[in-house]
Amino acid sequence: MAGYHITEGQFGDDPTRILSSDDGSARAEIALRGATLLSLTLPTAQGPESVLGGYNDPADFTALTGARSAILAPYSNRLAGGQYTFDGATHAFAGRDNDGNSLHGLVMDAAWYPVRETADDNSSILELGTDQLLAGDAPGYPFKLALKARFTLSREGLQLDLIATNQGTVSAPVGLGWHPYLETRGHDIRDAHLTLPYHQGVVTDERLIPLAGAASVTDLSGTESDFSGEGRTIDGQAIDRCFVGSAQPGWISSRLHDPATHLTLELAQSHGVVQVYTGHSLPHRQYDGLAIEPNEFMPDAFNRPELANAIRLGPGRERTLSARIRILPDPT
């Protein structure tokens, strides 16, 4: 039985931690910048398999192209106009995309530091923390939020537990998420088979902001955008959509199957919605890995009245979003 260990590494100018099994069959490299998972290799019967679409090189990482494996907090995805109102006060973020929206939170470029590093016969565990939001002085977010990202590598795969704690004296709006890209051996995912847990999709405007009220959700059953049940081949679709619905208790599973190699990757999450992005609009990386993003809420959650109670995290309260990546057994 292989044991596990943690070593220090470097990706360009950025220090990393490398979690790995002693036999080399499982390996994950995580940058302290952004608590970013840079690469992930998991064991199969045919040998170690790379399953994560990471950054091409340090320059690509510096640019954060595609927000690959970004930790999304205190909100995920888009925020309309880069602003929101919470408990009667309106707040505005400095960053904007071409449509004037804020995107992907405030910590994907933050400095994180090791809180815990342990390894034994069964797993390697790396827990990182960041003080980026702890002072309550972040532009657009005057709340004191402590964040931890705990990565566990074991024979079951890799698990991320993203933990938010409100250290302030007032309630704070919080919506957690993660932005990993799963990749098949051939990299191009257009021929891959995708299975999602939900048959409802979020309807957005031209800025990719969900419509108001009930108009924001539609039933996709029977359409080419329905990946629920047995799923279907992506078949060259350009997808940038949030999928929602009511989940059964337990892990919520999304799966990507490569028919050429018979490899099936699973990204499971503790709760929330699933954002899927085929990377079709990325420069030089179109369809190179599929972003299956476990998020707590649909885009623009801070501006949706029906989510006002769900996003609220009271003083001293903690919330955790968990996600795991693993290779499923080949049924053949």
Side-chain angles (χ1 to χ4, degrees), residues 43-269:
T44 72
Q46 290 73 42
E49 188 79 39
S50 173
V51 300
L52 188 86
Y55 290 102
N56 283 332
D57 49 47
D60 200 26
F61 181 36
T62 298
L64 296 175
T65 306
R68 293 178 177 271
S69 292
I71 300 293
L72 310 179
Y75 67 91
S76 61
N77 209 279
R78 288 169 174 79
L79 192 68
Q83 64 181 30
Y84 64 99
T85 299
F86 185 77
D87 283 349
T90 298
H91 308 282
F93 293 110
R96 300 285 192 280
D97 64 12
N98 292 335
D99 292 318
N101 306 314
S102 291
L103 187 64
H104 295 336
L106 301 175
V107 299
M108 65 178 183
D109 199 24
W112 294 65
Y113 52 87
V115 174
R116 174 189 177 196
E117 298 179 75
T118 61
D120 56 28
D121 288 343
N122 300 309
S123 66
S124 296
I125 300 175
L126 172 68
E127 186 169 284
L128 302 176
T130 181
D131 297 335
Q132 180 81 358
L133 304 178
L134 197 54
D137 58 0
Y141 197 76
F143 307 98
K144 297 182 178 181
L145 194 69
L147 292 170
K148 291 182 181 179
R150 183 171 60 238
F151 295 89
T152 303
L153 181 69
S154 71
R155 63 180 61 87
E156 300 298 323
L158 179 83
Q159 179 165 324
L160 166 66
D161 298 299
L162 182 57
I163 306 159
T165 305
N166 183 354
Q167 302 252 5
T169 58
V170 299
S171 293
V174 177
L176 304 175
W178 191 33
H179 204 297
Y181 289 71
L182 301 187
E183 72 171 11
T184 56
R185 191 176 300 171
H187 299 287
D188 191 320
I189 47 83
R190 281 173 284 190
D191 293 328
H193 190 274
L194 175 64
T195 305
L196 298 177
Y198 303 130
H199 63 83
Q200 294 178 307
V202 172
V203 183
T204 63
D205 62 18
E206 65 280 359
R207 301 170 302 152
L208 297 179
I209 298 299
L211 302 184
S216 65
V217 176
T218 187
D219 188 344
L220 300 172
S221 299
T223 72
E224 68 172 359
S225 298
D226 181 12
F227 295 93
S228 65
E230 297 300 317
R232 65 173 59 229
T233 302
I234 294 173
D235 196 24
Q237 290 189 58
I239 306 169
D240 192 353
R241 180 168 228 164
C242 183
F243 294 82
V244 301
S246 299
Q248 299 295 321
W251 289 91
I252 301 166
S253 175
S254 301
R255 298 187 299 277
L256 184 68
H257 175 74
D258 183 352
T261 62
H262 303 289
L263 187 71
T264 300
L265 308 180
E266 179 190 58
L267 194 152
Q269 61 195 80

Side-chain angles (χ1 to χ4, degrees), residues 251-302:
W251 289 91
I252 301 166
S253 175
S254 301
R255 298 187 299 277
L256 184 68
H257 175 74
D258 183 352
T261 62
H262 303 289
L263 187 71
T264 300
L265 308 180
E266 179 190 58
L267 194 152
Q269 61 195 80
S270 57
H271 63 282
V273 304
V274 182
Q275 183 81 25
V276 175
Y277 173 51
T278 50
H280 51 277
S281 59
L282 293 176
H284 315 301
R285 299 290 297 271
Q286 292 90 349
Y287 300 99
D288 181 5
L290 181 71
I292 300 180
E293 308 164 35
N295 294 328
E296 288 196 288
F297 310 112
M298 71 166 67
D300 202 32
F302 283 14

